[in-house]
Amino acid sequence: MSGAGNMAAGGGPAVGSASSPLVAATPAPPFDIVRIAHVELGVADLQRSRSFYEQGLGLVVTRADANAIYLRGLEERGHHSLILRQESAGACLRLGYRVRSENDLDAAQRYFAAKGLPAEWADTPGQGRTLHVTDPFGHPLAFYASQQRMERRLQHYGEYYSAAIQRIDHVNLFAADLQSTHEFLAGELGFRTSEYTDTDEAAPRLWAVWMHRKGNVHDVALTNGVGPRLHHVGFWVRGELDIIRACDVLATTGWRAALERGPGRHGISNAFFLYLRDPDGHRIELFTGDYLTCDPDFEPIGWKLDDPQRQTLWGHPAPRSWFEEGSQFAGLQPQEPLMPVKPVVAR
Amino acid sequence: MSGAGNMAAGGGPAVGSASSPLVAATPAPPFDIVRIAHVELGVADLQRSRSFYEQGLGLVVTRADANAIYLRGLEERGHHSLILRQESAGACLRLGYRVRSENDLDAAQRYFAAKGLPAEWADTPGQGRTLHVTDPFGHPLAFYASQQRMERRLQHYGEYYSAAIQRIDHVNLFAADLQSTHEFLAGELGFRTSEYTDTDEAAPRLWAVWMHRKGNVHDVALTNGVGPRLHHVGFWVRGELDIIRACDVLATTGWRAALERGPGRHGISNAFFLYLRDPDGHRIELFTGDYLTCDPDFEPIGWKLDDPQRQTLWGHPAPRSWFEEGSQFAGLQPQEPLMPVKPVVAR
Amino acid sequence: MSGAGNMAAGGGPAVGSASSPLVAATPAPPFDIVRIAHVELGVADLQRSRSFYEQGLGLVVTRADANAIYLRGLEERGHHSLILRQESAGACLRLGYRVRSENDLDAAQRYFAAKGLPAEWADTPGQGRTLHVTDPFGHPLAFYASQQRMERRLQHYGEYYSAAIQRIDHVNLFAADLQSTHEFLAGELGFRTSEYTDTDEAAPRLWAVWMHRKGNVHDVALTNGVGPRLHHVGFWVRGELDIIRACDVLATTGWRAALERGPGRHGISNAFFLYLRDPDGHRIELFTGDYLTCDPDFEPIGWKLDDPQRQTLWGHPAPRSWFEEGSQFAGLQPQEPLMPVKPVVAR
Amino acid sequence: MSGAGNMAAGGGPAVGSASSPLVAATPAPPFDIVRIAHVELGVADLQRSRSFYEQGLGLVVTRADANAIYLRGLEERGHHSLILRQESAGACLRLGYRVRSENDLDAAQRYFAAKGLPAEWADTPGQGRTLHVTDPFGHPLAFYASQQRMERRLQHYGEYYSAAIQRIDHVNLFAADLQSTHEFLAGELGFRTSEYTDTDEAAPRLWAVWMHRKGNVHDVALTNGVGPRLHHVGFWVRGELDIIRACDVLATTGWRAALERGPGRHGISNAFFLYLRDPDGHRIELFTGDYLTCDPDFEPIGWKLDDPQRQTLWGHPAPRSWFEEGSQFAGLQPQEPLMPVKPVVAR
């Protein structure tokens, strides 16, 4: 198992060394991002999508109006971690991040405006003062320090159902210029790297990278590919059995076709995973099994691109759709990646 | 979900009706079979195979001599449920059944001898008086009423490892003449049918059938195909997490290539399953999730061949090897099936 | 761990030996009992009890009329395994057994009538031809060969809730004359003994005994005590997590006071258990973890009364109520046991 | 369920309000604590203690010398999270915290020295530059920014055993002057409060408080009582079944008497817990089930002292030992608490 071997060896060249493509997190970012906090997805049919997320997966509906539905996980006290909006079906509309304070919000506005990037105040139900920006790669982002506090359902066990999703955990993005996107997120905004894949070349190039602010494996991961596109939204569940139960429920309540990949376990992140496609094709990951990364001397764990246990510690090979398909961001034309994508070889 | 629909409807035509290919279990078999009790497999390298079953899967070694290793599960008090013998590598050497009493053993001897079939007394370590026969289809069988009693390890939890296999549960056989094999096992030997698959024809033909003596879903199952061959030996585990733990262990201790299919859940039998190939290619199923069938008014549950949830309530499609490969019985040339095997179509 | 030691040693004196109080199962009982099949309990408030069993524990309601509610587990295809009747609140009204065939039913009628015991035909919704008898100790019993077939809910995973009870498994009875009750059930009716507790005397006396017909640890168990009374009805669940989930649900939906003992694990039977008291005080066990006992050479596993791991392999000591309280049978005055009950000593 | 009710209502008076005894975390602590990182315990017999933690619980031994053993969990890449030292048996020798950087370490030295408290540089195998201090209440603390990096065992699944402990999570301390201790940790050092218990008085007094730096429920919790003493060290496991498996293993490998309380679930923190006593009486908690607390608008969850589900959402009452016993800190005489401890009433 070469991946384990890599880990044992400590992950190859040190971050920031001449031979590493990894960029260290800046210790002094212009504003303090706490974590990924919500994702907004465009859907064709609100009721069908609500059925998938509420009846199929066990998310809690906080608010439903004519154009949008706001959902959250069972442990979440904030208003929403997922917004479904009836427009631009199949597109990802926005990624939302928590920042530390209102001051951080103002600093973020100044930061993006100084770069000449769109940065405007916006209103979204359930969120405090909110800044909408477009980052240098075209990702539509929201930043805010607070959400309306809702009753958490953590101890309302009578309402647990299917996957019993607890909370949003991360987003995974296809990046056409992965190195630059990583450098922006780590070097500028202070995301720390937990794991990465690079090529087996004399001067290795980054193929994929997992970065976080909140102290576990990721808030945002990047994969080389036609991008920017959203590969998936990851939701955290309590354990492997909650994922098995979700398979049982989905397969016998009309959602069998939603299962795209898994269950299985990734080498990277150690995630026990299940990938689903929602009614508009948005990809959802249910996962459990990652670990703490908050120590200051944490060294990123490196994997080689051709390590078969990187992607799949065990499990069936991923289907072609999993490698190739993703949700475009509304109004943003994705580009071919700078590094050619290898043909998928099932193992 | 058509399979569930079938079940709801009670499984189609009644057993024994003109339009059903199922044969009812004779209420008065010539001798009383209790359950499948062991399988004997030919292996090329005893130590490699021992490592797979003991270190990889957590079976307990009862006895090891120069030519054979005898293993059992954690709840089993009998001497063995699996014999690995260093001869005819890749072949299945014998299937062993418990009978009710020594009298049943004598009755079995008379029954097979009267049919002109080989039926001879034999010695096997750890078994009481043992009858070896060849049934009308060529399967080499052993019958015995007792095994040497060993200490069960059920409450030796410090020794639980990987799948923590509890006991043998069933064998699954490819049958070239499935209807006749079923008629022999049910009509002659008293096996009761729990579930079956038939074709969607005016006069449906049996495609596969699950039969038992011990009161759960199966001791022996038959699948239409090049046969007789052993498709797999099924071992019972306590729950889904023991199978996930086995995947984790196998994938990180050198046995990743042994995983052939799963985990997933069958519609038929409701089994949560994992299929493995041992070092000689013998297929092992780890499973959990079936149910009681001992009621006298139990009616077999029917599935149609083209029901996608019959094979896979959920999970990745089975690979071609799973449909086509199996262990031959030593010295027995398998035949093409009477019903042509449909090409495998992944769903 | 003396219990494990006992097991290792094979359980002490052989059944039927001069020094053993165990009676072997008669190989030729007058009629063939398949398994325990239902229990009928008297309740004060049908709706409150329905809420406990349906909303609290996840049983399925098959039928509800003015005076009674009929429930079943998720794998059960028969009409009911539990009847709640609004009369004689707190009393057990009847224990129901499946027999092999209609002929066995007639044989049962002749058997009890010949003993001068009440044995009359009765009608119960959802049951086939039914015989009501009173056994020599006063237990009101029902025998029948069939139940109305219902749709099983085994693969209706969207309806799984709380404990997701699969099926009835056993009843446990206080017996005032335990030795005679055991001799009747084993010597007359053919129940086989799986485990037992006896005293540490030169001539050991039976303290408790677990007996079965269906091939697992028990259909009926007897405990020395003021009897006849019903100690508990045991329902089978898929695994330990279903019991943990039931605790979570019950504790947060108004049924926290129903938890009487557990979760923990018994030495005897290896059951992972939770004991509940329903709104009328009837005791329900949720359990998982026993094993097959169908082999003809199965030898009962013996435990000594003072082995602390007999009752509790691990877990908190049982409260006094668990040792002392039970449901009386309607109209039957329980008697003091022939063997004095030791004071409860928590360990 | 009043606890859930409290949570629904948002936890009572706002932090820092006139009527709340809670103190908000200072946003600018003198040095940046990352998390609790290790505990050092005095033991009488190194080999016996090693057996308990390694063979009983599945911790990994990093280093063993004549006087001490260093252990870590399966996901931990640092050198140790537990040190067992053969001196002052039964005493807690030190609590170790990670700080963000070497600069923070120097700042910590200046901070404690300025207060006139002992603050000296020390050497401990496997730790980087280390500061030993005594805090105002007498707790012996270690601070360091780094540990020697070891191979993590996260994906060495073949070595998982018993509880398969992943990492240290928190310490729980008896505090004689709980309000002052809380004010020091929150107001001075920047610990944030996740949950708390206060009295049902017009001016509520803090009874217990859960505080963290790393973004889950706690790094350190305080309970009113004879103190300072260590109530327990909490280790994190993957799920409820790992705790059940630990019970099974401990109970059948000679450590049954180590189980003090549980398994059960706390209302506070939502922890599914098991409390053990090691060979010297040190209390260990295995737990799983808490939640993220990193949002800046997180509001502490309040419970009233007389809420029965605060301590025990469900489960047997805690024994008296759990309320009263703890490990003294070496050389430090504990004091009676300022608030009298209520007699324990089992519920």
Side-chain angles (χ1 to χ4, degrees), chain B residues 37-38 96-99 105 127-130 142-147:
Chain B
H38 85 268
Y97 289 95
R98 289 273 196 148
V99 296
L105 208 48
Q127 293 171 199
R129 199 165 58 114
T130 297
F143 294 101
Y144 47 86
S146 68
Q147 281 197 354

Side-chain angles (χ1 to χ4, degrees), chain D residues 158-231:
Chain D
E159 302 169 12
Y160 275 50
Y161 180 74
S162 188
I165 289 172
Q166 299 287 302
R167 57 173 172 78
I168 193 172
D169 185 77
H170 64 264
V171 292
N172 187 306
L173 308 173
F174 280 121
D177 182 354
L178 189 138
Q179 182 68 31
S180 298
T181 313
H182 165 62
E183 288 176 4
F184 172 71
L185 289 169
E188 293 280 312
L189 300 189
F191 282 82
R192 293 178 280 274
T193 298
S194 56
E195 305 204 22
Y196 65 98
T197 301
D198 59 7
T199 58
D200 196 10
E201 299 169 305
R205 290 179 295 167
L206 265 189
W207 185 264
V209 62
W210 282 252
M211 291 172 289
H212 72 93
R213 288 290 298 170
K214 71 179 169 300
N216 68 356
V217 169
H218 46 337
D219 286 288
V220 56
L222 305 176
T223 302
N224 181 55
V226 175
R229 289 183 300 158
L230 173 68
H231 186 271

Side-chain angles (χ1 to χ4, degrees), chain B residues 14-57:
Chain B
V15 177
S17 77
S19 61
S20 169
L22 284 185
V23 170
T26 174
F31 58 98
D32 186 350
I33 295 175
V34 173
R35 64 175 181 104
I36 187 81
H38 85 268
V39 173
E40 183 173 341
L41 302 176
V43 305
D45 180 337
L46 271 181
Q47 292 317 310
R48 187 178 56 162
S49 292
R50 175 179 182 153
S51 172
F52 175 74
Y53 287 103
E54 188 183 26
Q55 304 299 325
L57 294 182

Side-chain angles (χ1 to χ4, degrees), chain A residues 38-92:
Chain A
H38 86 268
V39 173
E40 183 172 342
L41 301 176
V43 306
D45 179 336
L46 272 181
Q47 292 318 308
R48 188 180 54 162
S49 293
R50 175 180 184 152
S51 171
F52 175 74
Y53 287 102
E54 188 182 27
Q55 303 300 323
L57 293 182
L59 283 173
V60 176
V61 172
T62 295
R63 173 188 166 124
D65 58 33
N67 302 311
I69 295 176
Y70 302 76
L71 304 105
R72 66 190 200 278
L74 290 157
E75 81 165 62
E76 291 178 322
R77 301 171 86 193
H79 186 270
H80 55 260
S81 55
L82 179 65
I83 305 177
L84 306 173
R85 191 173 300 280
Q86 194 155 328
E87 68 176 53
S88 305
C92 178

Side-chain angles (χ1 to χ4, degrees), chain B residues 7 77 152 155 267 297 299, chain C residues 7 77 98 152 267 299:
Chain B
M7 287 186 291
R77 302 171 85 192
R152 68 173 184 169
Q155 294 180 333
D297 60 349
E299 180 165 305
Chain C
M7 287 185 292
R77 301 171 86 193
R98 290 273 196 148
R152 67 173 185 170
E299 179 166 305

Side-chain angles (χ1 to χ4, degrees), chain D residues 329-342:
Chain D
F329 289 95
L332 179 62
Q333 183 60 36
Q335 307 296 317
E336 285 297 313
L338 299 188
M339 283 192 284
V341 176
K342 295 201 314 179

